[in-house]
Amino acid sequence: MKTPRRKTAVALRYDAAKDAAPRVTAKGHGLLADKILALAREKGVPIREDADLVQALAQLDLQQEIPPSLYRAVAEILAFVYRLNAAYGKR
């Protein structure tokens, strides 16, 4: 019998004026993951599910910039967010 995986969430922040790369600003499993996701929904932050990427990001420390090996995957997430913002008239 397969054991269900605990939900994991990782939040990123990227400010092109301040950061060389996106940073991990929150991460957690189980109830903490639920709280991270609820806060994101409450604040209107887009959520993207990618189990492999969240597993890699969860290994990073808080406030750590993502490593170059994850740039492409995170760039796809940022493009997703930019498209959503454009679709809803946000800048």
Side-chain angles (χ1 to χ4, degrees):
M1 182 174 202
K2 196 173 187 180
T3 304
R5 295 175 85 182
R6 289 190 307 167
K7 184 184 295 182
T8 302
V10 176
L12 300 176
R13 178 186 67 103
Y14 179 60
D15 182 341
K18 296 178 184 176
D19 302 318
R23 293 180 180 276
V24 173
T25 57
K27 65 180 185 171
H29 303 284
L31 291 175
L32 184 53
D34 290 337
K35 289 182 180 186
I36 292 167
L37 292 168
L39 184 58
R41 287 184 190 101
E42 178 184 314
K43 300 295 182 181
V45 175
I47 297 170
R48 172 95 180 254
E49 292 187 30
D50 184 326
D52 293 332
L53 181 58
V54 79
Q55 185 177 15
L57 292 170
Q59 302 304 311
L60 302 176
D61 293 328
L62 289 176
Q63 299 306 319
Q64 182 178 348
E65 288 184 352
I66 64 164
S69 61
L70 295 177
Y71 282 4
R72 183 180 175 106
V74 172
E76 291 174 9
I77 301 295
L78 291 174
F80 165 77
V81 170
Y82 294 148
R83 282 192 303 273
L84 284 180
N85 285 345
Y88 292 104
K90 295 180 182 177
R91 287 236 164 214

